[in-house]
Amino acid sequence: DSGVTQTPKHLITATGQRVTLRCSPRSGDLSVYWYQQSLDQGLQFLIQYYNGEERAKGNILERFSAQQFPDLHSELNLSSLELGDSALYFCASSVGYSVSQGVYNEQFFGPGTRLTVL
Amino acid sequence: AQSVSQHNHHVILSEAASLELGCNYSYGGTVNLFWYVQYPGQHLQLLLKYFSGDPLVKGIKGFEAEFIKSKFSFNLRKPSVQWSDTAEYFCAGGADYKLSFGAGTTVTVRA
């Protein structure tokens, strides 16, 4: 158990809908990262928040957005869902915000949310 | 742009065989390198990490990796695999805010 929690574990929805995935980081971690894992794209970094502010953006679609709240939990919002959005969405957390901080940037992964869009 | 590449897509071994998975990264400067493992149906778990110092890094479950700066490589090794090592292995590296993952190598160990 990494200490990172994600809810829900599974989510099944229809095209065009909007869903919210939730992540609670490990106690003491200030950074939250979101990743998408699909069979054709592999593990793709989406976005990072540090202490409530966006720090880095990866391959995140405009239909997707995220935020980190004062209690440091984060939510990933996916809207106008398409079949191709079906994937495993992982959240990770770390103490620091930059690889240059070394050990403080070690990322711990949550169990993921499996999203199925029908 | 920084990237990480893994040489093998799928490796099939027998128990007790030795394993080596290749990983190369494409950027210079300060780099942090990781190997993660994902067992079937589970989340990513950290096997080992390299930040600085001794280039031979020992991780959990008998895995080790060697950082060779001149070759931009960080290959993962295990001298004798077990059936329970069947999993997907990801190399990851970062020199900035973002951690880049390789495409992953599926390792199947046959009993």
Side-chain angles (χ1 to χ4, degrees), chain B residues 46-67:
Chain B
L46 184 68
L47 273 179
L48 47 78
K49 57 191 182 245
Y50 173 79
F51 294 111
S52 62
D54 189 344
L56 186 60
V57 180
K58 298 216 182 280
I60 61 171
K61 302 177 192 263
F63 286 90
E64 65 179 29
E66 186 174 10
F67 170 65

Side-chain angles (χ1 to χ4, degrees), chain B residues 26-48:
Chain B
S26 67
Y27 42 89
T30 302
V31 295
N32 291 174
L33 296 162
F34 307 83
W35 275 98
Y36 284 88
V37 61
Q38 187 177 27
Y39 297 104
Q42 295 189 27
H43 61 96
L44 278 82
Q45 299 172 42
L46 184 68
L47 273 179
L48 47 78

Side-chain angles (χ1 to χ4, degrees), chain A residues 13-87:
Chain A
T13 188
T15 54
Q17 295 298 305
R18 173 191 166 95
V19 297
T20 297
L21 312 184
R22 183 189 167 103
C23 168
S24 292
R26 292 187 321 153
S27 176
D29 285 359
L30 299 177
S31 269
V32 168
Y33 310 77
W34 285 99
Y35 293 87
Q36 179 194 58
Q37 186 179 33
S38 60
L39 283 174
D40 54 345
Q41 297 284 332
L43 195 59
Q44 299 280 325
F45 166 73
L46 295 178
I47 197 164
Q48 177 198 5
Y49 278 82
Y50 176 77
N51 205 19
E53 292 188 6
E54 183 185 303
R55 289 298 281 195
K57 248 182 177 177
N59 303 320
I60 188 166
L61 300 172
E62 284 191 13
R63 300 183 284 109
F64 296 1
S65 65
Q67 53 185 327
Q68 186 179 28
F69 295 87
D71 68 352
L72 301 176
H73 91 270
S74 178
E75 293 181 355
L76 179 68
N77 300 297
L78 315 176
S79 61
S80 304
L81 285 168
E82 302 175 0
L83 295 177
D85 297 328
S86 295

Side-chain angles (χ1 to χ4, degrees), chain B residues 91-108:
Chain B
C91 180
D96 200 335
Y97 300 118
K98 188 177 85 168
L99 200 61
S100 297
F101 282 82
T105 298
T106 301
V107 173
T108 302

